[in-house]
Amino acid sequence: MDVMPLLLLVAGSAGVAGLARRTPVPAPLLLVAAGLGAAYIPGIPDYTLDPHIVLPLLLPPLLHTAALDSSYLDLRANLRPVALLSFGYVLFATLVVGYVAYLVIPDLPLTAALVLGAVVAPPDAVAATAIARRLGLPHRITTILQGESLVNDATAITAYKVALAAALGAGATWGDGIRQFAVASLGGIGIGVVLMVPLHWLRCRLRESALLENTLSLLIPFTAYAAAEQVGASGVLAVVVVGLYLGHRSWQVDFGTRLQEGAVWKMVSFVLESAVFALIGLQLPVVLRGLGEFSTAQALGYAAVLFAVVVLARFVWVFPATYLPRFLSARIRAREPDTNWTAPVVVGWAGMRGVVSLAIAFSIPPVVHGGGSFPSRNLVLFLTFTTVIGTLVIQGLTLPPLIRALKLPGRDAQAETLAEAQAQSEASRAAEARLDELLQDERNALPGPLSDRLRTVMERRRDSVWERLGAVNAVTGESADETYRRLAREMIDVERRVFVELRDARRIDDEMMRTLLRRLDLEEAAAYRESAT
């Protein structure tokens, strides 16, 4: 197996993603553009998107990472809008897009058109949530977009399987479709529920080895996905359920494991997301070569119509889904905050498609039952590609200025810091009471300086959050807490250089130097993490 194309893809996409951090352009959009440009550079190999790799090998870790970082409580509080988008909207878009494609494209059977509808139905909210966080969108909108992206792939994949069975002539009926959808959905959730508790129990029992625990963490999404798919259930839902539970219970895991796991999954997510968006752009030559009997002008005309339908269908669904439940239910009106028209506009425009749509499209078999070819398969691939690129580029580039123009209320950083300070004060008071209780026991006797040090560290942790609310240094623009941590890191840098000099002078060996440096690294990491909050 030639690994050079894979290394080129990973290295190139990581480099572009790193460059994107220095530009105002979101990384997914720059990666897609780079992929489109690189597709025609002489010497660049063809990268054909293999659904047998993307769906079982790339999708589970990306979903697992997103689920770990999501809030189970926030998703539960917004279950209705998330469900209306991730289930209701995907099925609605499948039917609307499929029927319009059936009317517009000559000789395209309705079953094949519904396959196309299912393929382009699920938005990929990675780019949308990245933009939402960067611009400080209200927390509820970000939660809804993130929750939609966790579940909608399962709906789309199941709808695709049902439509494909009909298109292939497998004799599927509406009853079969509903039954298959119920089995996939309930089965995926059930598999996730069955696996989540023993997996968490196992993680908590591996406290002595963070290395083993992180190895298990890397295997978990693939295990959940494979177990569900093996019995005909939704692997996507199984991964999401397990990830949400493990993220909700992560506080019960050893601190060393949490630190390592956070770093590992950030790296995995960065590499996979970068490669995935670059792969989208690199598909252009493969898709264009397969157009066959359709001229470029014809295909682009169909693509423009399909893009317009995809965009309009989301607005047609989002506005009634936002206001109709409030109109019908006094309980919803009393429980949920009022929403003006700007929030549904942002949610409606944040319907960018991604790699899952392309992966599903490439999994369409070229031959149906009886030996005939799948109707207009190459055109379906092209329309999927143009829809993904169109939504990523047009909606992705215009979403930030749209958000700024609508002047949505952003997050209240001052209120969040105040809530953090109050929580830290409450925790510090409980810790101080516990310390007093422990020091009364003779087994816990400590010299005065050491017990004072415990109190000083606790007080420093409590006061640091309040200091972020305080005055700002007129010269540096820093709060007292930021200045403290900057000076602490300067001192750590000096200690680190001294350890290296002692090692070079042979006064300590390398093993001792690494032990001393690790202690400094942990202190610096703690200072960095607290100052970044």
Side-chain angles (χ1 to χ4, degrees), residues 298-496:
Q298 277 182 309
L300 288 175
Y302 299 146
V305 172
L306 190 67
F307 173 81
V309 172
V310 166
V311 172
L312 290 174
R314 186 165 174 88
F315 282 103
V316 169
W317 179 267
V318 166
F319 272 89
T322 301
Y323 292 109
L324 194 58
R326 286 178 170 82
F327 176 76
L328 297 175
S329 172
R331 182 180 177 185
I332 292 176
R333 290 195 298 272
R335 187 179 67 230
E336 295 184 2
D338 291 335
T339 299
N340 62 21
W341 60 272
T342 57
V345 166
V346 170
V347 173
W349 194 245
M352 292 165 275
R353 270 55 177 177
V355 72
V356 172
S357 291
L358 276 175
I360 299 173
F362 274 96
S363 69
I364 298 174
V367 179
V368 300
H369 289 285
S373 60
F374 188 94
S376 304
R377 180 179 184 271
N378 295 330
L379 180 63
V380 169
L381 292 177
F382 177 81
L383 294 177
T384 303
F385 179 83
T386 53
T387 301
V388 170
I389 296 296
T391 54
L392 280 174
V393 174
I394 296 175
Q395 292 182 304
L397 288 177
T398 57
L399 184 59
L402 174 66
I403 292 171
R404 296 189 190 99
L406 293 177
K407 297 180 180 179
L408 269 76
R411 288 190 167 188
D412 190 340
Q414 192 82 351
E416 290 182 356
T417 303
L418 179 60
E420 180 187 351
Q422 292 170 337
Q424 183 63 66
S425 292
E426 188 172 334
S428 296
R429 286 194 298 270
E432 191 170 10
R434 178 58 175 162
L435 178 61
D436 291 336
E437 179 185 335
L438 290 171
L439 291 178
Q440 291 175 4
D441 191 332
E442 293 181 355
R443 294 174 299 177
N444 299 322
L446 276 178
L450 289 181
S451 62
D452 291 342
R453 183 181 177 186
L454 286 173
R455 296 184 191 278
T456 300
V457 171
M458 182 173 54
E459 290 171 0
R460 179 66 219 155
R461 194 158 50 237
R462 178 185 60 216
D463 295 343
S464 64
V465 187
W466 289 108
E467 288 168 359
R468 292 213 300 273
L469 292 166
V472 175
N473 188 304
V475 178
T476 64
E478 299 171 326
S479 68
D481 179 62
E482 290 169 338
T483 303
Y484 170 87
R485 299 195 185 285
R486 177 170 57 81
L487 296 180
R489 289 197 292 272
E490 291 282 350
M491 294 170 64
I492 289 172
D493 285 339
V494 172
E495 288 187 73
R496 187 178 287 118

Side-chain angles (χ1 to χ4, degrees), residues 54 84 128 135 138 165 211 244 288 299 311 315 326 428 510 528:
V54 172
L84 285 172
L135 297 179
L211 193 60
L244 285 174
L288 289 180
V311 172
F315 282 103
R326 286 178 170 82
S428 296
D510 279 285
Y528 174 80

Side-chain angles (χ1 to χ4, degrees), residues 67 89 154 162 180 182 276 303 313 444 491:
Y89 165 69
V162 173
Q180 184 176 353
V276 157
N444 299 322
M491 294 170 64

